[in-house]
Amino acid sequence: MQLFKEDLVAVAQSPLHHWLTELPAQLAAWEKEQQHGELHKWLRCVAQLPKLPAEQVALSDTVQVTSAAVSEGEQNRIRGLLQQLTPWRKGPFHLHGVTIDTEWRSDFKWQRVAPHIGDLSGQQVLDVGCGSGYHLWRMLESGAQQVWGVDPGQLFMAQFLAVRHFMPAELQQRAHWFPVGVEDLPELKAFDTVFSMGVLYHRRSPIDFLTQLKAQLKPGGQLVLETLVVEGDINTVLVPGTTYAKMRNVWFIPSTAALLHWMERCGFKSAKVVDESLTSVEEQRATEWMTGQSLADFLDPNDATKTIEGFPAPRRAVVIATI
């Protein structure tokens, strides 16, 4: 478990230390399963990134690390290695002169979320389904003491490690990522804030998922939930067929009224919708860092209010709740 050694030390020294009753064994089992596939190639790319001083760091809309000492050759080396970690879906990032224009402008989402989350200063924050970790850096910008991302995606982990590689030591020690799913988490009841953005509709059992999120919060903690929704009343839930916007793993898309009802049934308090908006082709699109199909290809070419399958076009809501 050399890969996670420093992160496990951080767990031991944090209010999450009781997580160590299960986490090391889970990581050991995960590492045993990684004998095949591309993970080792991706990790080699990360290991080959040059060590450079982080003279200027901005955890802003574009997460940036720069240094005046970087040569053109080093920039080309960085670009070549990071391009081997494509597709980059969540960002954007700017690392020593290399701009990673990701498929999603994740800063758009953060701008919708940030005004409503309150002060994260000194908090232990969990991001469930954190992807490449873009939002972890924004949570640190908002004052979080430590941020913890969980996501089973191997490529996402390599991308996070690549970005963290360039961060100054103080920030590296406050940002952590583990390749586990929320179903693998014990009832930690240790986080001040839990984020889950873009995950609920991928879960076969949304009620179980909400309950699992709640189990990670300390009393009085807040959940920040961002998810696909549809228009309708408390009984409206879209259950797509084989695909929704060409995604095969979409199971339930509730109305905001139905979602608030689910959350109340799960024991959340003061749940409220703080933002609701349609996803635009400016927010999600193909780029040189994600050259496959994107939102423009997922919508009806004759009616952008519908997906290619005829369902309502992607609408996303942000809900804040406490326990």
Side-chain angles (χ1 to χ4, degrees):
M1 287 186 292
Q2 191 65 27
L3 182 61
F4 305 104
K5 182 179 178 180
E6 293 182 3
D7 297 293
L8 288 172
V9 170
V11 174
Q13 296 173 346
S14 78
L16 315 176
H17 52 83
H18 54 297
W19 195 1
L20 294 177
T21 59
E22 297 190 26
L23 183 58
Q26 291 173 330
L27 295 176
W30 177 85
E31 286 190 336
K32 250 187 182 178
E33 295 171 359
Q34 309 311 311
Q35 302 304 313
H36 306 287
E38 297 187 278
L39 178 61
H40 296 293
K41 181 193 79 172
W42 295 329
L43 293 179
R44 282 197 300 272
C45 290
V46 175
Q48 292 173 43
L49 291 168
K51 295 187 182 299
L52 297 166
E55 294 177 355
Q56 293 184 314
V57 178
L59 306 182
S60 51
D61 285 351
T62 298
V63 173
Q64 301 184 52
V65 183
T66 58
S67 170
V70 181
S71 68
E72 182 179 351
E74 286 172 321
Q75 282 187 358
N76 290 336
R77 181 182 174 191
I78 292 168
R79 177 181 294 276
L81 289 167
L82 295 180
Q83 284 181 333
Q84 292 185 55
L85 304 181
T86 56
W88 285 80
R89 298 196 180 276
K90 305 295 176 67
F93 302 98
H94 183 82
L95 305 172
H96 293 296
V98 178
T99 297
I100 304 175
D101 185 15
T102 49
E103 176 189 13
W104 281 88
R105 286 290 305 271
S106 302
D107 52 316
F108 287 17
K109 182 179 294 189
W110 189 251
Q111 290 163 11
R112 295 193 295 269
V113 169
H116 309 287
I117 60 177
D119 186 6
L120 299 183
S121 295
Q123 290 195 11
Q124 299 289 328
V125 177
L126 174 68
D127 188 358
V128 174
C130 64
S132 62
Y134 170 85
H135 289 116
L136 296 176
W137 305 112
R138 305 307 305 273
M139 294 165 197
L140 287 179
E141 178 196 33
S142 295
Q145 176 61 34
Q146 287 182 301
V147 292
W148 309 84
V150 295
D151 195 303
Q154 296 178 358
L155 180 58
F156 286 146
M157 183 181 73
Q159 291 169 348
F160 168 77
L161 292 174
V163 175
R164 188 171 71 169
H165 168 86
F166 291 115
M167 290 290 173
E170 184 270 336
L171 289 176
Q172 290 185 18
Q173 293 162 8
R174 293 168 58 198
H176 312 280
W177 199 107
F178 292 116
V180 297
V182 68
E183 65 277 5
D184 301 313
L185 297 178
E187 294 188 9
L188 292 171
K189 299 180 180 178
F191 295 98
D192 301 283
T193 299
V194 169
F195 287 81
S196 175
M197 299 189 285
V199 181
L200 180 69
Y201 47 90
H202 292 315
R203 308 302 295 186
R204 292 172 183 260
S205 176
I207 301 301
D208 286 344
F209 180 65
L210 291 171
T211 302
Q212 290 160 345
L213 296 177
K214 181 172 175 280
Q216 309 314 316
L217 286 164
K218 62 170 59 173
Q222 73 170 342
L223 172 67
V224 181
L225 180 71
E226 191 270 355
T227 189
L228 288 173
V229 295
V230 291
E231 295 180 307
D233 61 19
I234 196 171
N235 297 309
T236 303
V237 181
L238 172 64
V239 183
T242 305
T243 64
Y244 170 85
K246 294 192 178 181
M247 291 185 287
R248 293 188 175 277
N249 58 341
V250 175
W251 298 94
F252 298 93
I253 307 178
S255 67
T256 53
L259 177 57
L260 292 175
H261 180 57
W262 291 355
M263 296 180 75
E264 182 182 5
R265 288 290 305 273
C266 290
F268 287 98
K269 303 173 185 175
S270 308
K272 60 180 179 180
V273 178
V274 298
D275 184 85
E276 188 172 347
S277 59
L278 289 169
T279 304
S280 70
V281 293
E282 290 74 35
E283 182 173 359
Q284 183 189 11
R285 71 276 190 270
T287 74
E288 67 170 310
W289 294 85
M290 201 301 292
T291 57
Q293 291 189 333
S294 194
L295 181 59
D297 306 291
F298 306 155
L299 299 176
D300 185 328
N302 300 312
D303 184 357
T305 68
K306 296 180 181 178
T307 69
I308 198 75
E309 301 91 352
F311 299 120
R315 173 183 297 271
R316 309 186 77 92
V318 179
V319 178
I320 309 289
T322 58
I323 64 167

Tab-separated table of all heavy atoms in Angstrom, residues 250-299:
chain	number	residue	atom	x	y	z
A	250	VAL	N	-27.905	5.409	-16.073
A	250	VAL	CA	-28.812	6.365	-15.441
A	250	VAL	C	-30.073	5.610	-15.049
A	250	VAL	O	-30.741	5.019	-15.905
A	250	VAL	CB	-29.141	7.539	-16.380
A	250	VAL	CG1	-30.174	8.461	-15.743
A	250	VAL	CG2	-27.875	8.318	-16.716
A	251	TRP	N	-30.417	5.666	-13.772
A	251	TRP	CA	-31.501	4.833	-13.262
A	251	TRP	C	-32.744	5.629	-12.855
A	251	TRP	O	-33.846	5.315	-13.290
A	251	TRP	CB	-30.998	3.998	-12.069
A	251	TRP	CG	-29.904	3.061	-12.469
A	251	TRP	CD1	-28.560	3.274	-12.405
A	251	TRP	CD2	-30.066	1.765	-13.054
A	251	TRP	NE1	-27.863	2.201	-12.901
A	251	TRP	CE2	-28.768	1.247	-13.305
A	251	TRP	CE3	-31.175	0.984	-13.388
A	251	TRP	CZ2	-28.559	-0.005	-13.868
A	251	TRP	CZ3	-30.960	-0.264	-13.936
A	251	TRP	CH2	-29.665	-0.744	-14.178
A	252	PHE	N	-32.576	6.638	-12.022
A	252	PHE	CA	-33.721	7.406	-11.539
A	252	PHE	C	-33.389	8.896	-11.600
A	252	PHE	O	-32.353	9.328	-11.077
A	252	PHE	CB	-34.054	7.049	-10.090
A	252	PHE	CG	-34.451	5.610	-9.890
A	252	PHE	CD1	-33.502	4.652	-9.550
A	252	PHE	CD2	-35.773	5.209	-10.025
A	252	PHE	CE1	-33.849	3.333	-9.369
A	252	PHE	CE2	-36.135	3.883	-9.836
A	252	PHE	CZ	-35.180	2.933	-9.509
A	253	ILE	N	-34.278	9.680	-12.229
A	253	ILE	CA	-34.128	11.137	-12.249
A	253	ILE	C	-35.411	11.730	-11.670
A	253	ILE	O	-36.451	11.761	-12.338
A	253	ILE	CB	-33.880	11.676	-13.668
A	253	ILE	CG1	-32.693	10.958	-14.330
A	253	ILE	CG2	-33.622	13.187	-13.616
A	253	ILE	CD1	-32.418	11.415	-15.752
A	254	PRO	N	-35.370	12.200	-10.418
A	254	PRO	CA	-36.582	12.709	-9.778
A	254	PRO	C	-36.811	14.189	-10.095
A	254	PRO	O	-35.901	14.903	-10.530
A	254	PRO	CB	-36.267	12.538	-8.290
A	254	PRO	CG	-34.782	12.786	-8.226
A	254	PRO	CD	-34.212	12.203	-9.497
A	255	SER	N	-38.032	14.633	-9.861
A	255	SER	CA	-38.277	16.071	-9.792
A	255	SER	C	-37.642	16.591	-8.504
A	255	SER	O	-37.326	15.809	-7.591
A	255	SER	CB	-39.779	16.355	-9.780
A	255	SER	OG	-40.351	15.861	-8.566
A	256	THR	N	-37.473	17.893	-8.399
A	256	THR	CA	-36.925	18.429	-7.153
A	256	THR	C	-37.878	18.157	-5.992
A	256	THR	O	-37.433	17.889	-4.867
A	256	THR	CB	-36.649	19.937	-7.268
A	256	THR	OG1	-37.834	20.611	-7.711
A	256	THR	CG2	-35.518	20.203	-8.251
A	257	ALA	N	-39.179	18.195	-6.246
A	257	ALA	CA	-40.146	17.904	-5.177
A	257	ALA	C	-40.001	16.471	-4.699
A	257	ALA	O	-40.028	16.192	-3.490
A	257	ALA	CB	-41.568	18.168	-5.666
A	258	ALA	N	-39.858	15.538	-5.629
A	258	ALA	CA	-39.683	14.135	-5.244
A	258	ALA	C	-38.359	13.944	-4.506
A	258	ALA	O	-38.290	13.213	-3.510
A	258	ALA	CB	-39.733	13.243	-6.489
A	259	LEU	N	-37.302	14.611	-4.970
A	259	LEU	CA	-35.996	14.490	-4.330
A	259	LEU	C	-36.041	15.004	-2.891
A	259	LEU	O	-35.512	14.352	-1.972
A	259	LEU	CB	-34.949	15.270	-5.133
A	259	LEU	CG	-33.533	15.305	-4.564
A	259	LEU	CD1	-32.981	13.895	-4.359
A	259	LEU	CD2	-32.618	16.112	-5.480
A	260	LEU	N	-36.675	16.140	-2.673
A	260	LEU	CA	-36.797	16.664	-1.308
A	260	LEU	C	-37.593	15.701	-0.426
A	260	LEU	O	-37.289	15.532	0.758
A	260	LEU	CB	-37.463	18.038	-1.334
A	260	LEU	CG	-36.643	19.161	-1.972
A	260	LEU	CD1	-37.477	20.443	-2.036
A	260	LEU	CD2	-35.358	19.413	-1.203
A	261	HIS	N	-38.604	15.065	-1.006
A	261	HIS	CA	-39.394	14.079	-0.259
A	261	HIS	C	-38.527	12.883	0.115
A	261	HIS	O	-38.582	12.401	1.262
A	261	HIS	CB	-40.583	13.636	-1.111
A	261	HIS	CG	-41.460	12.629	-0.439
A	261	HIS	ND1	-42.063	12.839	0.788
A	261	HIS	CD2	-41.836	11.374	-0.823
A	261	HIS	CE1	-42.763	11.782	1.131
A	261	HIS	NE2	-42.642	10.875	0.173
A	262	TRP	N	-37.712	12.395	-0.816
A	262	TRP	CA	-36.794	11.293	-0.508
A	262	TRP	C	-35.869	11.668	0.645
A	262	TRP	O	-35.654	10.879	1.569
A	262	TRP	CB	-35.929	10.967	-1.729
A	262	TRP	CG	-36.632	10.353	-2.894
A	262	TRP	CD1	-37.933	9.951	-2.981
A	262	TRP	CD2	-36.044	10.065	-4.171
A	262	TRP	NE1	-38.200	9.437	-4.221
A	262	TRP	CE2	-37.055	9.498	-4.980
A	262	TRP	CE3	-34.777	10.248	-4.709
A	262	TRP	CZ2	-36.828	9.104	-6.298
A	262	TRP	CZ3	-34.537	9.851	-6.029
A	262	TRP	CH2	-35.558	9.281	-6.807
A	263	MET	N	-35.326	12.871	0.580
A	263	MET	CA	-34.365	13.294	1.595
A	263	MET	C	-35.021	13.424	2.967
A	263	MET	O	-34.430	13.063	3.989
A	263	MET	CB	-33.704	14.601	1.161
A	263	MET	CG	-32.885	14.438	-0.113
A	263	MET	SD	-32.084	15.947	-0.687
A	263	MET	CE	-30.729	16.051	0.505
A	264	GLU	N	-36.234	13.901	2.974
A	264	GLU	CA	-36.966	13.982	4.253
A	264	GLU	C	-37.193	12.586	4.821
A	264	GLU	O	-37.007	12.348	6.023
A	264	GLU	CB	-38.304	14.692	4.051
A	264	GLU	CG	-39.107	14.853	5.329
A	264	GLU	CD	-40.444	15.522	5.090
A	264	GLU	OE1	-40.803	15.775	3.923
A	264	GLU	OE2	-41.158	15.781	6.085
A	265	ARG	N	-37.571	11.639	3.961
A	265	ARG	CA	-37.788	10.265	4.411
A	265	ARG	C	-36.493	9.655	4.955
A	265	ARG	O	-36.530	8.794	5.839
A	265	ARG	CB	-38.316	9.403	3.255
A	265	ARG	CG	-39.745	9.681	2.840
A	265	ARG	CD	-40.751	9.212	3.891
A	265	ARG	NE	-40.603	7.812	4.235
A	265	ARG	CZ	-41.191	6.798	3.569
A	265	ARG	NH1	-41.954	7.070	2.507
A	265	ARG	NH2	-41.018	5.560	3.948
A	266	CYS	N	-35.359	10.091	4.426
A	266	CYS	CA	-34.059	9.566	4.869
A	266	CYS	C	-33.544	10.257	6.130
A	266	CYS	O	-32.486	9.875	6.653
A	266	CYS	CB	-33.025	9.715	3.752
A	266	CYS	SG	-33.320	8.616	2.350
A	267	GLY	N	-34.264	11.271	6.608
A	267	GLY	CA	-33.882	11.908	7.861
A	267	GLY	C	-33.118	13.202	7.739
A	267	GLY	O	-32.629	13.738	8.748
A	268	PHE	N	-33.020	13.745	6.532
A	268	PHE	CA	-32.364	15.046	6.379
A	268	PHE	C	-33.306	16.162	6.822
A	268	PHE	O	-34.531	16.054	6.693
A	268	PHE	CB	-31.937	15.268	4.930
A	268	PHE	CG	-30.761	14.436	4.514
A	268	PHE	CD1	-30.936	13.245	3.815
A	268	PHE	CD2	-29.469	14.839	4.822
A	268	PHE	CE1	-29.854	12.472	3.432
A	268	PHE	CE2	-28.375	14.071	4.443
A	268	PHE	CZ	-28.565	12.890	3.749
A	269	LYS	N	-32.714	17.229	7.315
A	269	LYS	CA	-33.481	18.379	7.784
A	269	LYS	C	-33.198	19.582	6.885
A	269	LYS	O	-32.137	19.705	6.295
A	269	LYS	CB	-33.098	18.733	9.221
A	269	LYS	CG	-33.262	17.600	10.210
A	269	LYS	CD	-32.697	18.003	11.560
A	269	LYS	CE	-32.743	16.846	12.556
A	269	LYS	NZ	-32.094	17.202	13.846
A	270	SER	N	-34.158	20.470	6.846
A	270	SER	CA	-33.991	21.772	6.172
A	270	SER	C	-33.491	21.636	4.742
A	270	SER	O	-32.743	22.502	4.255
A	270	SER	CB	-33.009	22.655	6.967
A	270	SER	OG	-33.389	22.745	8.317
A	271	ALA	N	-33.868	20.588	4.054
A	271	ALA	CA	-33.423	20.408	2.671
A	271	ALA	C	-34.073	21.454	1.775
A	271	ALA	O	-35.288	21.665	1.827
A	271	ALA	CB	-33.763	19.005	2.179
A	272	LYS	N	-33.266	22.125	0.979
A	272	LYS	CA	-33.823	23.132	0.070
A	272	LYS	C	-33.045	23.160	-1.231
A	272	LYS	O	-31.833	22.905	-1.273
A	272	LYS	CB	-33.811	24.517	0.716
A	272	LYS	CG	-32.444	25.034	1.100
A	272	LYS	CD	-32.550	26.425	1.731
A	272	LYS	CE	-31.168	26.949	2.145
A	272	LYS	NZ	-31.259	28.300	2.748
A	273	VAL	N	-33.760	23.455	-2.296
A	273	VAL	CA	-33.145	23.594	-3.612
A	273	VAL	C	-32.605	25.019	-3.713
A	273	VAL	O	-33.351	25.979	-3.568
A	273	VAL	CB	-34.160	23.330	-4.730
A	273	VAL	CG1	-33.516	23.526	-6.105
A	273	VAL	CG2	-34.745	21.927	-4.610
A	274	VAL	N	-31.298	25.143	-3.956
A	274	VAL	CA	-30.688	26.472	-4.021
A	274	VAL	C	-30.343	26.873	-5.445
A	274	VAL	O	-30.018	28.043	-5.697
A	274	VAL	CB	-29.430	26.541	-3.130
A	274	VAL	CG1	-29.794	26.312	-1.674
A	274	VAL	CG2	-28.362	25.536	-3.588
A	275	ASP	N	-30.405	25.925	-6.377
A	275	ASP	CA	-30.145	26.255	-7.775
A	275	ASP	C	-30.746	25.173	-8.655
A	275	ASP	O	-30.756	23.998	-8.293
A	275	ASP	CB	-28.636	26.352	-8.050
A	275	ASP	CG	-28.340	26.795	-9.475
A	275	ASP	OD1	-28.323	28.018	-9.720
A	275	ASP	OD2	-28.161	25.926	-10.349
A	276	GLU	N	-31.257	25.587	-9.802
A	276	GLU	CA	-31.757	24.649	-10.800
A	276	GLU	C	-31.511	25.266	-12.165
A	276	GLU	O	-31.886	26.422	-12.394
A	276	GLU	CB	-33.245	24.371	-10.586
A	276	GLU	CG	-33.794	23.263	-11.464
A	276	GLU	CD	-35.220	22.865	-11.097
A	276	GLU	OE1	-35.698	23.258	-10.017
A	276	GLU	OE2	-35.856	22.167	-11.914
A	277	SER	N	-30.861	24.539	-13.061
A	277	SER	CA	-30.517	25.111	-14.357
A	277	SER	C	-30.319	24.017	-15.391
A	277	SER	O	-29.988	22.876	-15.064
A	277	SER	CB	-29.238	25.958	-14.253
A	277	SER	OG	-28.160	25.155	-13.793
A	278	LEU	N	-30.523	24.372	-16.655
A	278	LEU	CA	-30.269	23.461	-17.762
A	278	LEU	C	-28.771	23.422	-18.053
A	278	LEU	O	-28.079	24.440	-17.970
A	278	LEU	CB	-31.022	23.911	-19.011
A	278	LEU	CG	-32.543	23.754	-18.985
A	278	LEU	CD1	-33.170	24.485	-20.161
A	278	LEU	CD2	-32.931	22.279	-19.016
A	279	THR	N	-28.269	22.264	-18.399
A	279	THR	CA	-26.861	22.132	-18.780
A	279	THR	C	-26.679	22.649	-20.201
A	279	THR	O	-27.432	22.282	-21.106
A	279	THR	CB	-26.408	20.669	-18.701
A	279	THR	OG1	-26.656	20.167	-17.393
A	279	THR	CG2	-24.921	20.548	-19.004
A	280	SER	N	-25.685	23.499	-20.398
A	280	SER	CA	-25.442	24.097	-21.709
A	280	SER	C	-24.277	23.414	-22.413
A	280	SER	O	-23.436	22.765	-21.790
A	280	SER	CB	-25.131	25.592	-21.557
A	280	SER	OG	-23.855	25.763	-20.953
A	281	VAL	N	-24.222	23.600	-23.734
A	281	VAL	CA	-23.110	23.043	-24.515
A	281	VAL	C	-21.835	23.847	-24.284
A	281	VAL	O	-20.760	23.442	-24.749
A	281	VAL	CB	-23.459	22.996	-26.015
A	281	VAL	CG1	-24.570	21.985	-26.283
A	281	VAL	CG2	-23.847	24.376	-26.541
A	282	GLU	N	-21.909	24.973	-23.597
A	282	GLU	CA	-20.707	25.682	-23.180
A	282	GLU	C	-20.106	25.044	-21.932
A	282	GLU	O	-18.892	25.098	-21.719
A	282	GLU	CB	-21.010	27.161	-22.897
A	282	GLU	CG	-21.320	28.006	-24.118
A	282	GLU	CD	-22.708	27.735	-24.697
A	282	GLU	OE1	-23.638	27.470	-23.911
A	282	GLU	OE2	-22.851	27.768	-25.935
A	283	GLU	N	-20.953	24.423	-21.120
A	283	GLU	CA	-20.473	23.794	-19.886
A	283	GLU	C	-19.922	22.399	-20.131
A	283	GLU	O	-18.981	21.962	-19.461
A	283	GLU	CB	-21.603	23.736	-18.850
A	283	GLU	CG	-21.184	23.155	-17.528
A	283	GLU	CD	-22.260	23.253	-16.453
A	283	GLU	OE1	-23.348	23.798	-16.733
A	283	GLU	OE2	-22.008	22.778	-15.327
A	284	GLN	N	-20.492	21.675	-21.071
A	284	GLN	CA	-20.053	20.306	-21.380
A	284	GLN	C	-19.866	20.184	-22.874
A	284	GLN	O	-20.826	20.275	-23.645
A	284	GLN	CB	-21.076	19.271	-20.891
A	284	GLN	CG	-20.631	17.836	-21.122
A	284	GLN	CD	-21.726	16.812	-20.836
A	284	GLN	OE1	-22.890	17.171	-20.659
A	284	GLN	NE2	-21.374	15.547	-20.823
A	285	ARG	N	-18.595	19.960	-23.299
A	285	ARG	CA	-18.308	19.899	-24.724
A	285	ARG	C	-17.016	19.145	-24.973
A	285	ARG	O	-16.211	18.952	-24.079
A	285	ARG	CB	-18.243	21.299	-25.333
A	285	ARG	CG	-17.013	22.116	-24.936
A	285	ARG	CD	-17.200	22.826	-23.604
A	285	ARG	NE	-16.119	23.783	-23.371
A	285	ARG	CZ	-14.967	23.514	-22.749
A	285	ARG	NH1	-14.718	22.306	-22.296
A	285	ARG	NH2	-14.055	24.447	-22.595
A	286	ALA	N	-16.818	18.728	-26.218
A	286	ALA	CA	-15.585	18.059	-26.603
A	286	ALA	C	-14.451	19.075	-26.689
A	286	ALA	O	-14.664	20.234	-27.045
A	286	ALA	CB	-15.763	17.352	-27.943
A	287	THR	N	-13.236	18.634	-26.334
A	287	THR	CA	-12.041	19.472	-26.430
A	287	THR	C	-10.884	18.587	-26.876
A	287	THR	O	-11.050	17.373	-27.034
A	287	THR	CB	-11.677	20.107	-25.066
A	287	THR	OG1	-11.108	19.091	-24.216
A	287	THR	CG2	-12.887	20.720	-24.377
A	288	GLU	N	-9.690	19.168	-27.019
A	288	GLU	CA	-8.538	18.347	-27.394
A	288	GLU	C	-8.155	17.385	-26.278
A	288	GLU	O	-7.417	16.423	-26.496
A	288	GLU	CB	-7.339	19.225	-27.755
A	288	GLU	CG	-6.749	20.005	-26.601
A	288	GLU	CD	-5.424	20.667	-26.950
A	288	GLU	OE1	-4.530	19.974	-27.479
A	288	GLU	OE2	-5.291	21.874	-26.694
A	289	TRP	N	-8.634	17.619	-25.046
A	289	TRP	CA	-8.336	16.744	-23.917
A	289	TRP	C	-9.461	15.723	-23.681
A	289	TRP	O	-9.359	14.887	-22.795
A	289	TRP	CB	-8.097	17.577	-22.658
A	289	TRP	CG	-6.854	18.414	-22.771
A	289	TRP	CD1	-6.744	19.648	-23.355
A	289	TRP	CD2	-5.543	18.058	-22.342
A	289	TRP	NE1	-5.444	20.088	-23.303
A	289	TRP	CE2	-4.682	19.135	-22.681
A	289	TRP	CE3	-4.995	16.949	-21.692
A	289	TRP	CZ2	-3.320	19.126	-22.393
A	289	TRP	CZ3	-3.640	16.944	-21.401
A	289	TRP	CH2	-2.811	18.015	-21.753
A	290	MET	N	-10.553	15.827	-24.462
A	290	MET	CA	-11.644	14.857	-24.436
A	290	MET	C	-12.287	14.919	-25.809
A	290	MET	O	-13.182	15.718	-26.044
A	290	MET	CB	-12.665	15.187	-23.337
A	290	MET	CG	-13.519	13.975	-22.924
A	290	MET	SD	-14.509	13.187	-24.242
A	290	MET	CE	-15.703	14.479	-24.593
A	291	THR	N	-11.785	14.088	-26.709
A	291	THR	CA	-12.139	14.224	-28.120
A	291	THR	C	-13.360	13.404	-28.530
A	291	THR	O	-13.743	13.416	-29.696
A	291	THR	CB	-10.943	13.827	-29.005
A	291	THR	OG1	-10.547	12.483	-28.677
A	291	THR	CG2	-9.766	14.767	-28.785
A	292	GLY	N	-13.971	12.701	-27.595
A	292	GLY	CA	-15.141	11.896	-27.930
A	292	GLY	C	-16.400	12.741	-28.013
A	292	GLY	O	-16.371	13.973	-28.009
A	293	GLN	N	-17.533	12.073	-28.083
A	293	GLN	CA	-18.811	12.771	-28.131
A	293	GLN	C	-19.103	13.431	-26.792
A	293	GLN	O	-18.676	12.959	-25.738
A	293	GLN	CB	-19.936	11.805	-28.481
A	293	GLN	CG	-19.874	11.299	-29.917
A	293	GLN	CD	-21.117	10.514	-30.297
A	293	GLN	OE1	-21.782	9.916	-29.452
A	293	GLN	NE2	-21.441	10.521	-31.576
A	294	SER	N	-19.854	14.548	-26.851
A	294	SER	CA	-20.233	15.249	-25.639
A	294	SER	C	-21.673	15.735	-25.787
A	294	SER	O	-22.415	15.244	-26.643
A	294	SER	CB	-19.260	16.396	-25.353
A	294	SER	OG	-19.430	16.876	-24.034
A	295	LEU	N	-22.056	16.725	-24.973
A	295	LEU	CA	-23.472	17.068	-24.859
A	295	LEU	C	-24.132	17.373	-26.195
A	295	LEU	O	-25.271	16.953	-26.437
A	295	LEU	CB	-23.640	18.257	-23.905
A	295	LEU	CG	-25.087	18.723	-23.668
A	295	LEU	CD1	-25.942	17.601	-23.095
A	295	LEU	CD2	-25.106	19.941	-22.746
A	296	ALA	N	-23.462	18.106	-27.078
A	296	ALA	CA	-24.070	18.450	-28.358
A	296	ALA	C	-24.487	17.210	-29.136
A	296	ALA	O	-25.453	17.243	-29.914
A	296	ALA	CB	-23.101	19.294	-29.189
A	297	ASP	N	-23.782	16.107	-28.937
A	297	ASP	CA	-24.113	14.857	-29.622
A	297	ASP	C	-25.204	14.077	-28.906
A	297	ASP	O	-25.742	13.114	-29.464
A	297	ASP	CB	-22.862	13.977	-29.715
A	297	ASP	CG	-21.700	14.700	-30.363
A	297	ASP	OD1	-21.780	14.969	-31.572
A	297	ASP	OD2	-20.734	15.015	-29.641
A	298	PHE	N	-25.513	14.477	-27.667
A	298	PHE	CA	-26.479	13.737	-26.857
A	298	PHE	C	-27.880	14.343	-26.937
A	298	PHE	O	-28.828	13.774	-26.409
A	298	PHE	CB	-26.045	13.712	-25.392
A	298	PHE	CG	-24.647	13.187	-25.163
A	298	PHE	CD1	-23.932	13.557	-24.045
A	298	PHE	CD2	-24.056	12.322	-26.075
A	298	PHE	CE1	-22.646	13.077	-23.825
A	298	PHE	CE2	-22.769	11.832	-25.871
A	298	PHE	CZ	-22.061	12.212	-24.738
A	299	LEU	N	-27.994	15.511	-27.590
A	299	LEU	CA	-29.276	16.194	-27.700
A	299	LEU	C	-29.905	15.941	-29.069
A	299	LEU	O	-29.198	15.684	-30.057
A	299	LEU	CB	-29.105	17.696	-27.486
A	299	LEU	CG	-28.556	18.129	-26.120
A	299	LEU	CD1	-28.352	19.634	-26.086
A	299	LEU	CD2	-29.475	17.685	-24.994
